[in-house]
Amino acid sequence: MNTIILATDGSTYSDEAARYLVATPLLNRDFIVHVVHCEPEVRGDVVSFVGKDEVDAWHHEESDKAMRSVVDILRHGNVNYECHEMTGFTPGKIVDYATRVKANAIVLGSHHRSPLMNALMGSVSSRIIAHAPCPVLVV
């Protein structure tokens, strides 16, 4: 069985990537989709003030919200999936996970920001493409 990683940030762009996986004739159904969402780490005074358990609960809640719509799309499309929550630097975490599970592909939706915005903010998809151990499909 092939492993496909679907990275989601909870946006409509991620939903479109999920719809692509459900609808495309390019892929056979011999795959499992690993839905991944990565939240930035909360550091410093916030963790010491709020507490690690509360921060972990917040990360879990945010990941659930971000993955909910793509999970619904995959479920209705009869696509096998499993969910994975991560914290840290998103591109690095996704690339590391893809390497660890020997992913056949990474699929993600693009926000289509201008080159100037990508230069200022950085592009998650560009960083994943640059470092991925497998093909990356940007929808």
Side-chain angles (χ1 to χ4, degrees):
M1 177 162 295
N2 293 308
T3 299
I4 295 176
I5 294 175
L6 173 59
T8 181
D9 60 1
S11 68
T12 57
Y13 305 104
S14 297
D15 291 352
E16 286 305 313
R19 285 186 189 94
Y20 180 83
L21 284 175
V22 169
T24 183
L26 296 176
L27 302 172
N28 64 36
R29 289 290 183 214
D30 185 30
F31 62 85
I32 185 162
V33 175
H34 290 232
V35 178
V36 299
H37 174 72
C38 188
E39 280 290 320
E41 286 187 55
V42 176
R43 298 180 186 258
D45 293 338
V46 174
V47 175
S48 61
F49 180 73
V50 175
K52 183 181 180 329
D53 290 342
E54 288 81 9
V55 170
D56 289 346
W58 178 78
H59 280 142
H60 178 70
E61 181 180 321
E62 291 302 305
S63 287
D64 278 350
K65 284 193 285 189
M67 291 188 277
R68 188 173 300 137
S69 60
V70 298
V71 164
D72 288 343
I73 292 165
L74 296 174
R75 184 181 305 122
H76 286 98
N78 294 317
V79 173
N80 293 322
Y81 69 90
E82 53 188 58
C83 295
H84 302 277
E85 301 173 9
M86 302 172 186
T87 57
F89 180 62
T90 300
K93 290 291 186 169
I94 291 171
V95 167
D96 290 347
Y97 185 75
T99 302
R100 190 168 60 250
V101 300
K102 296 181 173 72
N104 298 92
I106 299 170
V107 178
L108 48 92
S110 173
H111 285 258
H112 306 294
R113 290 189 181 111
S114 71
L116 175 61
M117 288 304 292
N118 279 340
L120 292 174
M121 297 173 54
S123 165
V124 170
S125 57
S126 294
R127 289 179 175 143
I128 291 172
I129 289 168
H131 301 286
C134 57
V136 178
L137 174 61
V138 180
V139 177

